[in-house]
Amino acid sequence: MEGEETARAAMPRPSRLTSLQEQMIWALLESGLSRDVLVQALGELEQDRTSASAEKGERGDGESSEEGEMDFPPPIFRDLEKLSPEEAAKLRVEVDQLLQEDPWHVAKIVKSYMQQHNLPQREVVESTGLNQSHLSQHLNKGTPMKNQKRASLYSWYVKKQGEISQQFTNAKHGIASLDEQEEVKKGRRNRFKWGPASLQILFHAYERQKNPSKEEREGLVEECNRAECIQRGVSPSQLAGLGSNLVTEVRVYNWFANRRKEEAFRHKLALDTPFTNQSASSSNLNLSSPDHGSTLTRFRQAGVKYSQQILCDTMSSARGSGGERVGRLVVSPVQLEPSHTLLETHNHKPVSSSGPLPPVSTLTSLHSLSSSSASSQSLIMASLPSVMSLGESSLLIGLASTQPQAVPIINNVGGGFTTLQPISFQQQLQASSQLPISHLQSHMCASPFMATMTQLPCHMYSKSDSPQYHTSSLLSQTMVITDGSSLGNLTSLSTVRPILTEDPEEQTDPNLQEESLHLQPHTPVPAASSQSLELYPASQTTDSHQSHLLSPSPTDISSYIPTQMVSTAQ
Amino acid sequence: MAGKIQSLTEEERTHLLPLLRNAQWVEVVGRDAIYKEFVFKDFNQAFGFMSRVALQAEKMDHHPEWFNVYNKVQITLSTHDCGGLSQRDITMATFIDQASMM
């Protein structure tokens, strides 16, 4: 900052300040800086600037000693300056206390706090200047960290606690000053992340209905936010404290859309890969027919191969032949099928390939499976698509009571707590080749899925479109043209379009204003987007922005509208 | 952004704008914004004042539109997010008045 520079230059000769320098210093002091903080900041900045080259040499020596030199005062110290002096002092006291304690113990505390509030490590890294890998290792495994670095970590932690409690208390007033600071730094809020509590709720709902209506989504939003608040130990009414992890209707909509897309894609993959395991199943088929006619008919919809697969599974696992029971059994053997093939053919090869936890989407994990193992695996995929999602939900739902039956390749959208279980179950599978008993056990949670199973094939075909995100239209619209993904924008664009087609040549400000203003009462847009309409002319009225909006509008909007409009049509 | 900034309600306007008008803030024609001109003794004073306002603007994350020539500072306040006046503008205006008194 210029002010700091001139003030710093003034430091050696305190009596000879120019009046501008005086004004600057006065301004700084007025902004909340205390004399001490200012002096300290000056010292740090001076050190930093004068010893820039020397630091590189020092770094090598510094590493060996306990108290290494900080290369650069991490950004967090700059933040401290912004606080009032008493608060800064309080923070330092707390940080010192933490530094005294056992580092591993404090690391656990910090880690659990981050998990509780769904804070990304990236945020810590940015504001403390720590190395992300080092930070991760320190928090998760207790890798030692030098005191200075731990100090900056703890400073961030204490400060974050303060910020978050402020967020929660200011929720009603809608004050989000610290959030905005962060936003200014990052340019955008932290990326939203689903908490485990919300995911549970969502998976439950997904099993019930894949395509919730707006009201249902709103209900889910409430439920999820309540759960997230409870998880953080805060009253459910203080939503703004969730900050970037606040669940909104848009996010819920997107989540459902993504799950549906995943399913459709899995099914598509399954259909694509050729089936070759039919010789093995054909002998089993002979035993099946009379008892499993009902099941057969159900699954015939999904394709002959699919049902063959199921029968194969049913036969290999089921001992009893009650229709209902078979129905249930169909589910789990299908899920467990990979274990059969594993044991029969590839021993542990597919197992190892599915060992490393797949990333978010099942799709990628399926891909890796199909490429790495033989086509016998493809049958798994055939049967899995419809079951996969059920498997996921069974993973999450059946967690407490039953063993998750899902194949390890089932995606771990649920997060950490799903990952452990498949692996342990896998070991069980390897141990026992005959699994009727465990099947029965697991059916308890499998049974509700049967109803949905039948619907699935139809679902997959009818709802395979790419979902376009509806927004609740509360997106701010500074530049209508640049933000093209919201329905609010679309409708405003669509209303603008008539203007453009009517008066393609006229780009004069008043005309456009009038036209768009006229449109407001006439166009039957939903209330949400009329809000956006109001914004549009309002933003037009600013003289400086008008030329911005007008000149690109005729050309760009017309190209935007067709693409956007098409994709929203479902 | 968390929490969309609301434009001032009619009630708030009738309540607050007269106070600002008394302090020589003028409503801009054709736009929902307020404007005021400050004259200082010299450039240093003007720039010192601007520095104070600037630091406060950073704190509030609410920046004015302004123009400076030597000892004159012209400031226009409006909130881009809501396309008009908001509570932030009022807060900023009062702070600016305070800062200019020194």
Side-chain angles (χ1 to χ4, degrees):
Chain A
M1 254 194 76
E2 290 174 42
E4 281 180 5
E5 279 179 26
T6 53
R8 195 162 49 88
M11 282 309 282
R13 27 184 191 95
S15 54
R16 277 182 273 165
L17 283 176
T18 71
S19 71
L20 181 55
Q21 285 166 336
E22 272 180 18
Q23 294 284 339
M24 296 288 209
I25 294 177
W26 184 228
L28 280 173
L29 289 174
E30 289 237 310
S31 73
L33 273 188
S34 79
R35 197 167 173 269
D36 295 332
V37 181
L38 179 58
V39 171
Q40 185 190 32
L42 290 172
E44 283 170 0
L45 282 173
E46 262 185 345
Q47 267 181 21
D48 170 53
R49 288 177 197 226
T50 55
S51 62
S53 55
E55 276 170 2
K56 285 174 189 167
E58 282 171 355
R59 216 176 282 165
D61 306 330
E63 288 295 296
S64 53
S65 65
E66 253 294 302
E67 304 261 335
E69 294 211 22
M70 287 300 279
D71 303 330
F72 188 95
I76 185 143
F77 288 138
R78 262 187 257 134
D79 287 342
L80 278 175
E81 293 163 27
K82 289 184 190 169
L83 295 170
S84 71
E86 311 107 31
E87 287 179 35
K90 264 191 249 165
L91 282 187
R92 287 213 187 86
V93 165
E94 287 195 45
V95 169
D96 287 332
Q97 278 175 351
L98 289 169
L99 279 167
Q100 305 299 330
E101 303 210 23
D102 170 38
W104 173 229
H105 185 63
V106 184
K108 277 193 282 197
I109 293 172
V110 173
K111 180 175 180 210
S112 65
Y113 185 78
M114 284 173 68
Q115 278 177 341
Q116 196 192 30
H117 289 267
N118 237 339
L119 300 169
Q121 271 185 6
R122 180 191 45 75
E123 191 186 312
V124 186
V125 165
E126 278 174 1
S127 62
T128 61
L130 294 171
N131 175 275
Q132 177 154 0
S133 164
H134 184 31
L135 173 74
S136 168
Q137 291 213 317
H138 177 69
L139 290 178
N140 295 319
K141 304 184 182 166
T143 298
M145 191 185 265
K146 296 246 171 66
N147 287 347
Q148 269 240 330
K149 298 188 180 168
R150 281 196 303 132
S152 60
L153 172 63
Y154 301 155
S155 311
W156 172 88
Y157 171 60
V158 178
K159 187 166 173 283
K160 194 69 188 174
Q161 273 181 321
E163 274 179 30
I164 288 197
S165 59
Q166 234 193 35
Q167 274 183 23
F168 277 111
T169 50
N170 288 338
K172 287 169 194 163
H173 307 301
I175 300 167
S177 53
L178 287 170
D179 283 349
E180 287 159 26
Q181 266 182 15
E182 177 191 301
E183 195 182 310
V184 163
K185 277 185 237 162
K186 171 97 178 124
R188 201 156 291 286
R189 189 165 293 288
N190 271 336
R191 187 184 161 103
F192 171 82
K193 177 144 170 54
W194 284 107
S198 305
L199 283 172
Q200 261 197 340
I201 294 170
L202 289 172
F203 275 113
H204 273 287
Y206 187 71
E207 301 167 65
R208 279 196 297 271
Q209 206 213 59
K210 288 197 194 318
N211 213 331
S213 66
K214 183 152 173 148
E215 294 80 30
E216 288 170 33
R217 288 201 300 270
E218 282 170 4
L220 285 171
V221 166
E222 290 303 308
E223 259 191 83
C224 288
N225 281 324
R226 212 179 310 129
E228 291 293 323
C229 282
I230 289 170
Q231 189 198 313
R232 288 159 172 69
V234 182
S235 142
S237 60
Q238 296 172 326
L239 296 180
L242 294 173
S244 59
N245 288 321
L246 177 73
V247 176
T248 72
E249 211 209 299
V250 183
R251 306 212 204 271
V252 173
Y253 181 88
N254 290 341
W255 187 90
F256 274 90
N258 289 335
R259 292 292 105 24
R260 293 196 296 270
K261 267 201 289 191
E262 264 177 21
E263 260 197 66
F265 188 54
R266 269 185 250 125
H267 184 72
K268 178 169 165 268
L269 279 184
L271 293 178
D272 283 345
T273 13
F275 302 130
T276 58
N277 204 12
Q278 298 184 22
S279 53
S281 53
S282 55
S283 54
N284 293 329
L285 260 181
N286 298 334
L287 305 168
S288 68
S289 33
D291 299 15
H292 308 299
S294 58
T295 354
L296 251 184
T297 51
R298 275 200 236 173
F299 290 98
R300 204 146 268 171
Q301 299 168 30
V304 180
K305 293 172 185 170
Y306 185 88
S307 54
Q308 278 179 350
Q309 179 56 28
I310 292 168
L311 288 173
C312 162
D313 301 332
T314 323
M315 283 328 296
S316 54
S317 58
R319 295 289 172 238
S321 55
E324 187 197 337
R325 198 148 146 257
V326 165
R328 287 197 199 154
L329 281 174
V330 172
V331 179
S332 66
V334 165
Q335 289 170 322
L336 288 168
E337 204 273 336
S339 67
H340 294 295
T341 32
L342 295 179
L343 296 168
E344 287 161 20
T345 57
H346 294 272
N347 277 345
H348 302 292
K349 185 175 151 204
V351 171
S352 59
S353 73
S354 55
L357 299 172
V360 176
S361 169
T362 330
L363 316 175
T364 47
S365 59
L366 268 181
H367 262 300
S368 61
L369 253 190
S370 62
S371 56
S372 65
S373 54
S375 49
S376 61
Q377 284 285 344
S378 63
L379 277 170
I380 301 167
M381 288 189 279
S383 47
L384 279 173
S386 53
V387 174
M388 198 72 87
S389 54
L390 307 177
E392 293 166 7
S393 24
S394 75
L395 253 185
L396 298 166
I397 293 153
L399 265 183
S401 47
T402 62
Q403 293 276 347
Q405 313 168 36
V407 176
I409 57 178
I410 287 181
N411 84 42
N412 296 307
V413 158
F417 68 111
T418 61
T419 59
L420 297 173
Q421 316 241 5
I423 295 170
S424 57
F425 190 64
Q426 208 185 349
Q427 289 163 3
Q428 278 196 20
L429 288 180
Q430 292 170 18
S432 60
S433 53
Q434 296 303 321
L435 307 157
I437 299 169
S438 49
H439 286 186
L440 284 176
Q441 252 186 355
S442 39
H443 298 322
M444 299 332 319
C445 62
S447 50
F449 305 143
M450 280 314 298
T452 46
M453 283 265 305
T454 55
Q455 299 164 23
L456 275 172
C458 322
H459 271 266
M460 283 190 270
Y461 292 112
S462 60
K463 302 225 157 109
S464 56
D465 290 337
S466 64
Q468 188 68 15
Y469 304 130
H470 301 311
T471 63
S472 51
S473 80
L474 289 181
L475 295 179
S476 67
Q477 302 184 22
T478 50
M479 281 286 283
V480 170
I481 294 153
T482 53
D483 181 10
S485 65
S486 67
L487 191 55
N489 266 327
L490 290 172
T491 45
S492 65
L493 283 175
S494 65
T495 51
V496 167
R497 192 196 202 179
I499 302 173
L500 297 174
T501 52
E502 285 167 22
D503 305 315
E505 303 311 316
E506 284 191 87
Q507 299 192 15
T508 56
D509 312 348
N511 275 347
L512 256 178
Q513 272 185 355
E514 283 163 27
E515 295 278 7
S516 54
L517 284 171
H518 284 317
L519 271 179
Q520 277 178 342
H522 299 310
T523 335
V525 294
S529 47
S530 66
Q531 215 179 11
S532 62
L533 269 180
E534 284 172 25
L535 289 179
Y536 188 72
S539 58
Q540 273 186 319
T541 53
T542 59
D543 297 326
S544 50
H545 298 308
Q546 261 167 341
S547 51
H548 261 302
L549 288 171
L550 291 176
S551 46
S553 58
T555 49
D556 292 359
I557 285 184
S558 51
S559 62
Y560 268 82
I561 290 172
T563 56
Q564 300 285 359
M565 293 306 277
V566 166
S567 49
T568 44
Q570 285 194 356
Chain B
M1 292 205 186
K4 190 165 157 62
I5 279 298
Q6 304 295 327
S7 186
L8 280 181
T9 64
E10 284 306 312
E11 199 193 316
E12 288 171 328
R13 277 171 204 264
T14 53
H15 187 66
L16 296 166
L17 286 188
L19 302 174
L20 288 180
R21 259 181 249 124
N22 284 345
Q24 272 76 53
W25 285 90
V26 177
E27 275 143 38
V28 180
V29 175
R31 180 190 174 181
D32 190 17
I34 47 177
Y35 167 89
K36 186 170 174 186
E37 265 197 43
F38 298 84
V39 182
F40 295 90
K41 189 184 86 182
D42 55 11
F43 175 70
N44 294 342
Q45 294 223 328
F47 204 76
F49 158 78
M50 288 175 73
S51 305
R52 276 187 283 280
V53 173
L55 291 166
Q56 178 68 11
E58 272 299 285
K59 233 197 228 177
M60 287 174 62
D61 190 24
H62 185 57
H63 301 82
E65 299 170 28
W66 46 0
F67 179 75
N68 161 246
V69 176
Y70 192 62
N71 64 340
K72 272 198 275 300
V73 184
Q74 301 169 348
I75 300 185
T76 306
L77 293 176
S78 180
T79 307
H80 194 235
D81 291 342
C82 65
L85 288 179
S86 73
Q87 188 56 48
R88 289 182 184 179
D89 297 306
I90 309 295
T91 321
M92 179 59 89
T94 44
F95 177 84
I96 286 175
D97 284 334
Q98 279 176 353
S100 69
M101 302 288 189
M102 323 248 163

